[in-house]
Amino acid sequence: MKRETRIATQSRGVRIIGGQLKRSKLQVLPIEGLRPTPDRVRETVFNWLGPDWSDRCVLDCYAGTGALGFEALSRGAQSVQFIEHNRAASAQIQSTIARFSLEARATVQTMDAQSLSDEVLATAHVIFADPPFNHGLAQHFLTWIRDQVRPHCRIVIESERNTPLDTEGFVVLKELNAGLDRVMLLRAEA
């Protein structure tokens, strides 16, 4: 199931909702399963995470349009690494980075999120993970990352609302159910 119809999303795109790039539009490519995080959900997530982004290093895994990562950059994140396995989506994110002149603070890697190195994970303050729905990837990602993140790191994971996630090894700080989505803010147990 898709969050919104692909045609409607493509025609209007996705807008950044806060910070320096507020109201800037991100293009949504016609890629099967690409579902940008809705404005209301992004607003809630960023309220959870607080206003000061100046010292935060962010990983946007399963980046898609890059909406979460660009939202973090707009609010002053020190750096964002976009991780996206689809080449067309990665190229679009790279184009958007150039359009906003964010090359000094943002990079894109075309790869599977679970190929990230321990060094990259160790420096992350916030990890966004919005894997494609109905493939079991949210649970697979949580299981994989459980022993690799530091307690200071916050993980925001999106999954299908009707699919339970095993959060053993994490503390659930916040949770939101919106439409077909479940969004959780987690930290690793100390």
Side-chain angles (χ1 to χ4, degrees):
M1 294 178 120
K2 295 175 188 67
R3 217 180 251 144
E4 303 172 346
T5 63
R6 193 179 327 135
I7 294 169
T9 303
Q10 289 170 17
S11 66
R12 70 173 204 284
V14 174
R15 293 206 181 269
I16 297 172
I17 58 172
Q20 291 181 312
L21 300 173
K22 185 175 182 176
R23 292 193 269 299
S24 297
K25 194 172 183 179
L26 303 176
Q27 183 178 358
V28 179
L29 297 177
I31 298 171
E32 185 65 36
L34 184 64
R35 353 159 245 95
T37 303
D39 293 359
R40 185 175 66 104
V41 173
R42 275 186 284 132
E43 182 176 9
T44 298
V45 165
F46 280 86
N47 285 340
W48 289 348
L49 292 167
D52 184 11
W53 285 81
S54 59
D55 63 346
R56 294 186 186 179
C57 297
V58 177
L59 292 175
D60 187 354
C61 300
Y62 309 97
T65 62
L68 291 166
F70 284 113
E71 200 70 60
L73 287 164
S74 180
R75 294 162 191 259
Q78 181 179 343
S79 67
V80 174
Q81 283 191 37
F82 295 93
I83 312 299
E84 174 55 53
H85 76 281
N86 182 288
R87 291 190 185 284
S90 289
Q92 183 59 47
I93 292 168
Q94 186 62 55
S95 173
T96 304
I97 289 170
R99 180 167 52 109
F100 294 144
S101 301
L102 292 168
E103 295 90 346
R105 296 173 38 218
T107 58
V108 182
Q109 294 186 27
T110 306
M111 61 188 275
D112 181 69
Q114 294 178 30
S115 298
L116 287 167
S117 70
D118 292 341
E119 295 79 28
V120 170
L121 291 168
T123 62
H125 297 101
V126 177
I127 298 174
F128 295 117
D130 184 9
F133 282 6
N134 303 315
H135 299 286
L137 293 175
Q139 184 62 64
H140 193 66
F141 181 81
L142 277 183
T143 302
W144 169 77
I145 205 167
R146 181 175 290 143
D147 297 323
Q148 299 187 56
V149 293
R150 307 299 185 261
H152 74 273
C153 185
R154 299 296 178 259
I155 299 169
V156 176
I157 188 152
E158 294 185 52
S159 66
E160 306 92 339
R161 182 179 188 166
N162 61 350
T163 303
L165 290 179
D166 175 8
T167 58
E168 181 181 341
F170 295 100
V171 176
V172 178
L173 302 171
K174 301 275 186 178
E175 186 171 352
L176 168 70
N177 290 312
L180 301 174
D181 299 352
R182 173 190 300 126
V183 182
M184 288 191 285
L185 175 62
L186 310 170
R187 74 167 169 76
E189 289 181 346

